[in-house]
Amino acid sequence: MSIHTDSMELLEEIYHCCKTNQSFNLSQDYLFDLLPNKCHDLEMQVDYLRDSGYVSDFAPTCGFPISLKITSKGIMAIENVSTPVATSNVTNIYGSNFGIAGNNNSSNTVNNTFNYSNLQNIIDNSPYSDNEKQMLLNELKPLYDRIELGAPLEKGMLSSISDKIKDYQPLLGAVLSSLTTFLTTPK
């Protein structure tokens, strides 16, 4: 058998032992009674499980050279629990990214989940003055109305907005995310 297979069988034993006891322990006498090659195999399996994050040391200084407890990763492996994968609409933007400077700006990931209410929350929680907040909301409202309707953008709309919000860097990501989703979504 392979080290992985043997280690996973040992992990299952550790799992069942930890369900009834606090830890999995093997005494010095037990290890002395094993044949040298079996003892070496056991140590390799324990090292494999420890290095993989399936188990951690419990109390090896209390007379048990092997004293382990199972980790949450080990429990998930035995119980065949998969970690959920978050899904969202993600777009990679390549090229110049409005103020992102550096040699590695070729693969910024933007999460495209912003709508007008999200933008309102960003603006409301921003440190800008009330006049600036109102100006930003007034400038962006026509754009988001058209996006929500799925209507084409009017000529000059984007340049007008970009002139107004270029000094508000935190908003650029949100607006760019919304625009990217709108412009790249098939109609």
Side-chain angles (χ1 to χ4, degrees):
M1 290 192 150
S2 69
I3 292 175
H4 174 78
T5 305
D6 293 342
S7 298
M8 296 313 283
E9 287 177 6
L10 177 61
L11 182 62
E12 193 159 344
E13 288 179 41
I14 294 170
Y15 169 81
H16 291 296
C17 185
C18 288
K19 278 178 64 174
T20 57
N21 302 317
Q22 191 172 9
S23 63
F24 174 83
N25 300 304
L26 295 178
S27 68
Q28 186 75 32
D29 293 337
Y30 176 83
L31 293 176
F32 282 144
D33 290 341
L34 289 177
L35 295 172
N37 61 338
K38 295 291 183 186
C39 186
H40 176 71
D41 290 345
L42 179 63
E43 289 173 352
M44 286 181 58
Q45 293 165 17
V46 168
D47 287 342
Y48 178 85
L49 293 174
R50 197 179 290 129
D51 292 345
S52 298
Y54 293 131
V55 296
S56 62
D57 288 330
F58 182 70
T61 58
C62 295
F64 299 106
I66 296 179
S67 180
L68 305 168
K69 64 180 179 179
I70 192 164
T71 63
S72 58
K73 184 177 178 181
I75 293 169
M76 291 172 71
I78 292 299
E79 294 180 355
N80 293 320
V81 176
S82 62
T83 55
V85 178
T87 59
S88 66
N89 187 11
V90 175
T91 302
N92 287 326
I93 299 173
Y94 300 97
S96 178
N97 292 312
F98 298 103
I100 298 174
N103 295 331
N104 191 11
N105 66 344
S106 62
S107 64
N108 296 309
T109 302
V110 178
N111 189 353
N112 295 326
T113 58
F114 286 103
N115 56 27
Y116 189 69
S117 63
N118 294 124
L119 199 65
Q120 281 179 310
N121 288 337
I122 291 172
I123 292 172
D124 289 341
N125 294 320
S126 67
Y128 310 131
S129 71
D130 289 340
N131 290 340
E132 289 175 309
K133 290 178 182 181
Q134 192 58 47
M135 182 270 303
L136 290 168
L137 289 171
N138 290 341
E139 289 296 322
L140 294 170
K141 179 69 173 146
L143 172 69
Y144 280 87
D145 286 343
R146 296 189 79 73
I147 287 174
E148 289 173 8
L149 289 173
L153 302 179
E154 293 176 356
K155 185 175 181 179
M157 184 178 265
L158 294 180
S159 63
S160 170
I161 291 171
S162 70
D163 290 341
K164 301 281 190 311
I165 68 169
K166 67 182 177 188
D167 297 326
Y168 302 93
Q169 287 290 321
L171 294 178
L172 288 177
V175 173
L176 182 62
S177 174
S178 302
L179 284 173
T180 303
T181 301
F182 174 71
L183 295 174
T184 59
T185 303
K187 311 291 184 268

